[in-house]
Amino acid sequence: MKEYYVTRTISLSQSPGVLHIEAEVDDWQDGARTIYLEWNAEAMLDDIPALYEFATKAKDAWEKSRQQKYKEFKKKL
């Protein structure tokens, strides 16, 4: 299985029943910078509520972590 870290979405398009996603990735193994995904539209619609929840929690946790790091940094100054 190959894993990618997506840094940004380059383009989104659709055809009947399918979402087409072009994304920029960090790939340290073969130097690839772009991947292309075709996603079943119904499956994506089913996943949107969970994706929103997970993305919101991940963003909030990242912001909390960053705030804590800056508090610790401020104490060192």
Side-chain angles (χ1 to χ4, degrees):
M1 177 175 69
K2 186 146 186 159
E3 294 183 19
Y4 294 96
Y5 178 80
V6 175
T7 55
R8 69 182 180 106
T9 301
I10 296 170
S11 67
L12 298 169
S13 60
Q14 56 88 28
S15 59
V18 180
L19 298 174
H20 305 277
I21 304 168
E22 179 182 10
E24 180 180 274
V25 297
D26 285 335
D27 186 351
W28 301 275
Q29 294 158 352
D30 65 9
R33 299 285 298 156
T34 304
I35 59 171
Y36 303 92
L37 303 165
E38 291 187 349
W39 213 286
N40 176 287
E42 287 185 27
M44 178 63 78
L45 287 170
D46 288 343
D47 290 341
I48 284 176
L51 289 168
Y52 178 80
E53 181 181 348
F54 290 142
T56 301
K57 286 180 180 180
K59 180 180 176 279
D60 291 345
W62 179 81
E63 288 176 350
K64 184 177 179 181
S65 173
R66 187 172 79 173
Q67 286 176 349
Q68 184 61 36
K69 287 178 186 177
Y70 273 93
K71 285 179 184 178
E72 291 171 12
F73 176 66
K74 186 177 177 180
K75 289 177 186 178
K76 291 179 182 180
L77 295 178

